[in-house]
Amino acid sequence: MGLAPGDWVRVGTRRAAISLRVRLDRNVPPGSLFIPFCFSEAPANFLTNPQLDPIGKIPEFKFCAARIEPVKQFSDAAE
């Protein structure tokens, strides 16, 4: 996609979309993306499926289909 570390992208699913900065990590397989879900500025759980596993009753927060789009311009809020 021609992205570099620090670039802004929009990650969207059928449930929501968030914007965040790119960080490359060689431990993430090609064709996959990883978003930590512990940061309020990148609320990854909004993107995932809230359904529960029928046996373990664990939410399906671990994976979902997503699309990534470069954000051409992204400005921080004025102070």
Side-chain angles (χ1 to χ4, degrees):
M1 295 183 70
L3 298 170
D7 289 350
W8 283 93
V9 292
R10 183 172 190 260
V11 178
T13 68
R14 62 185 180 148
R15 293 166 194 84
I18 60 174
S19 294
L20 46 93
R21 288 185 188 263
V22 171
R23 182 183 139 202
L24 299 180
D25 187 326
R26 65 177 175 240
N27 294 319
V28 177
S32 298
L33 69 99
F34 174 80
I35 303 172
F37 55 88
C38 57
F39 300 108
S40 62
E41 62 271 15
N45 285 347
F46 290 155
L47 305 175
T48 58
N49 188 350
Q51 297 300 311
L52 297 178
D53 175 270
I55 297 170
K57 307 300 184 206
I58 301 167
E60 293 182 357
F61 288 157
K62 299 294 183 184
F63 65 93
C64 68
R67 69 187 162 277
I68 305 170
E69 303 167 326
V71 174
K72 301 238 186 287
Q73 293 180 331
F74 193 89
S75 61
D76 293 329
E79 294 182 22

